[in-house]
């Protein structure tokens, strides 16, 4: 067996032992280019191989530890750790970056659109329709758009192993509170995750059944068997007593007249002189102060880790301090998210005629605005059939 050096033979003790067993049974002599002969058929040869293997393993682990430490230090300092060019920036040879203005504008616009009620699907359709390609020249998918819009670096934050460790040296694409709002929005378990069955009706998942409180779904039912035509209704999924599982629901109401009613109510309310009192939320905590506090808390996490490394605090002390700091950091980040989630109303708040703008903003944003402003309840009729009656629909305005 010929190898370059003994430390290139094997760097895993387990693999070395397997190799030693084979060489011992078959009396194989290992020749190295740099360290001479290694006879693994003798006890002394095996002892030398195991000693050299242990030191080689130590060097691998030590080098790996140095690399991880260097990467963590670089990430904490906001430096780039390498890889493909991220969408939104142009990277210089020294690892610094400048904005790719066209791509940065797309990320900012998509962030605003998402917070205003747009869907990921609409953003994908828009980007692919205008031939806005990824940084590798490919078309967009749900996974790639989600990944781009939720990157901490968009908000000027640096990460290591998916954990935020400091401020990035790269110019941010969006504000931190806007980025956190997008992350919270896309992580919401109540958000639709289907990539194929797009919502086509205004109140699906928003209106609730007056009997059971469950959100209603849309369903196609026959309207004229002779002609083979169908119509869409809203109904809840709860099975009414005495009915089969194929006939669910306490309520069943035609979708078109119900949507028309809600549209009419929204237009009437948006036409009132006090419309901006409805759309503009009460001023809350200063988000600039929240961002400053968040930066300070992250710095304290780093200081606690440094103190532990220097032996100034015990492991138990470090863990207690870390838990308390992270709890407060979570509260601050949640507050930043709450103050930016009113973006759905911005599409109307900034319009000269909010009532007119309502019909221009599209279904995704209309649904987002409805979820912020009203609760629609469909009341059981107590009758057979599906005659639409506005008196059996309750529309309640939510308080800020």
């Amino acid at each position: 067996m010929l190898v370059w050096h003994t430390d290139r033979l094997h760097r895993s003790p387990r693999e070395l032992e397997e190799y030693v067993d084979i060489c011992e049974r078959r009396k194989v002599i290992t020749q190295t280019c740099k360290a001479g002969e290694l006879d693994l058929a003798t006890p002394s040869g095996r002892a030398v191989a195991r000693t050299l293997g242990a030191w080689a393993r130590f060097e691998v682990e030590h080098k790996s530890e140095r690399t991880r430490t260097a990467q963590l230090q670089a990430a904490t300092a906001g430096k780039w750790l390498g890889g493909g060019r991220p969408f939104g920036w142009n990277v210089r040879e020294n690892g610094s970056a400048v904005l790719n203005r066209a791509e940065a504008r797309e990320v900012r616009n998509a962030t605003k659109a998402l917070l205003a009620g747009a869907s990921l699907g609409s953003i994908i359709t828009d980007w692919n329709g205008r031939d806005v390609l990824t940084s590798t020249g490919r078309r967009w998918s749900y996974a790639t758009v989600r990944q781009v819009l939720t990157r901490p670096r968009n908000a000027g934050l640096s990460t290591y192993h998916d954990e935020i460790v400091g401020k990035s040296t790269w110019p941010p694409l969006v504000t931190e509170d806007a980025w956190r709002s997008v992350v919270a929005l896309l992580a919401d378990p109540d958000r639709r995750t289907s990539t194929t069955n797009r919502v086509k009706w205004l109140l699906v998942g928003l209106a609730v059944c007056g009997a059971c409180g469950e959100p209603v779904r849309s369903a196609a039912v026959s309207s004229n068997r002779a002609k083979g035509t169908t119509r869409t209704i809203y109904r809840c999924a709860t099975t009414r007593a005495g009915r089969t599982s194929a006939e669910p629901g306490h309520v069943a109401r035609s979708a078109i007249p119900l949507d028309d009613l809600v549209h009419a109510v929204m237009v009437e309310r948006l036409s009132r002189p006090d419309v901006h009192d409805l759309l503009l939320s009460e001023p809350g905590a200063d988000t600039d102060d929240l961002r400053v506090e968040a930066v300070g808390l992250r710095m304290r996490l780093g200081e606690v880790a440094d103190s532990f490394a220097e032996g100034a605090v015990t492991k138990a002390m470090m863990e207690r301090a870390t838990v308390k700091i992270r709890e407060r950091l979570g509260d601050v980040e949640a507050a930043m998210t709450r103050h930016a989630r009113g973006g759905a109303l911005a599409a109307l708040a900034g319009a000269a005629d909010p009532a007119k703008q309502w019909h221009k903003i599209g279904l995704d944003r209309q649904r987002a605005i409805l979820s912020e402003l009203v609760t629609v309840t469909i009341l059981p009729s107590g009758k057979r059939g599906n005659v639409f009656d506005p008196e059996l629909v309750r529309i309640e305005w939510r308080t800020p």
Side-chain angles (χ1 to χ4, degrees), residues 106-121:
E106 296 293 347
V107 172
R108 283 194 291 268
N109 291 342
T111 296
K112 291 179 181 178
L114 201 60
L115 294 178
S119 64
L120 281 179

Side-chain angles (χ1 to χ4, degrees), residues 237-290:
T238 304
T239 302
R240 194 189 303 174
R243 304 184 71 179
T244 67
S245 59
E247 301 176 295
H250 298 107
V251 296
R253 211 59 47 82
S254 292
I256 292 178
L258 183 49
D259 282 2
D260 289 343
L261 173 65
V262 173
H263 281 302
V265 170
M266 287 299 298
V267 168
E268 188 279 329
R269 181 64 183 88
L270 295 173
S271 300
R272 297 181 190 177
D274 65 343
V275 60
H276 287 90
D277 293 336
L278 172 72
L279 300 177
L280 298 178
S281 59
E282 292 294 327
D286 189 337
T287 54
D288 288 337
D289 290 345
L290 291 171

Side-chain angles (χ1 to χ4, degrees), residues 212-382:
C212 64
E214 290 295 316
V216 297
R217 304 174 180 178
S218 62
V221 297
S222 175
S223 60
N224 189 316
R225 293 185 179 180
K227 296 182 178 179
T229 57
T230 61
R231 59 187 170 84
T232 299
I233 64 170
Y234 291 123
R235 64 185 181 189
C236 70
T238 304
T239 302
R240 194 189 303 174
R243 304 184 71 179
T244 67
S245 59
E247 301 176 295
H250 298 107
V251 296
R253 211 59 47 82
S254 292
I256 292 178
L258 183 49
D259 282 2
D260 289 343
L261 173 65
V262 173
H263 281 302
V265 170
M266 287 299 298
V267 168
E268 188 279 329
R269 181 64 183 88
L270 295 173
S271 300
R272 297 181 190 177
D274 65 343
V275 60
H276 287 90
D277 293 336
L278 172 72
L279 300 177
L280 298 178
S281 59
E282 292 294 327
D286 189 337
T287 54
D288 288 337
D289 290 345
L290 291 171
R291 281 193 290 272
V292 170
E293 184 177 359
V295 171
L297 289 169
R298 294 190 196 102
M299 291 178 62
R300 287 174 59 190
L301 284 173
E303 291 169 357
V304 169
D306 291 341
S307 297
F308 173 70
E310 295 167 0
V313 300
T314 65
K315 182 179 180 181
M317 293 168 62
M318 180 192 69
E319 290 176 346
R320 285 198 300 271
T322 299
V323 168
K324 291 182 179 179
I325 295 172
R326 288 195 180 279
E327 286 178 352
R328 177 55 188 162
L329 183 58
D331 292 340
V332 171
E333 292 173 348
M336 292 168 65
T337 296
R338 287 194 300 271
H339 289 294
R341 287 293 292 275
L345 304 180
L348 296 181
D353 186 346
K356 185 176 181 181
Q357 184 70 10
W358 170 259
H359 291 295
K360 296 181 179 180
I361 58 178
L363 182 62
D364 288 334
R365 299 191 184 191
Q366 288 174 341
R367 285 171 49 80
I369 290 170
L370 283 176
S371 68
E372 293 278 350
L373 296 182
V374 301
T375 299
V376 180
T377 305
I378 303 174
L379 304 175
S381 65

Side-chain angles (χ1 to χ4, degrees), residues 76-122:
T76 303
K79 297 180 180 178
W80 188 41
L81 300 183
R85 180 184 74 81
F87 185 82
W89 295 274
N90 292 324
V91 185
R92 299 190 181 103
E93 291 184 2
N94 63 1
S96 63
V98 295
L99 290 180
N100 180 312
R101 296 191 179 281
E103 294 179 354
R105 184 169 57 251
E106 296 293 347
V107 172
R108 283 194 291 268
N109 291 342
T111 296
K112 291 179 181 178
L114 201 60
L115 294 178
S119 64
L120 281 179
S122 66

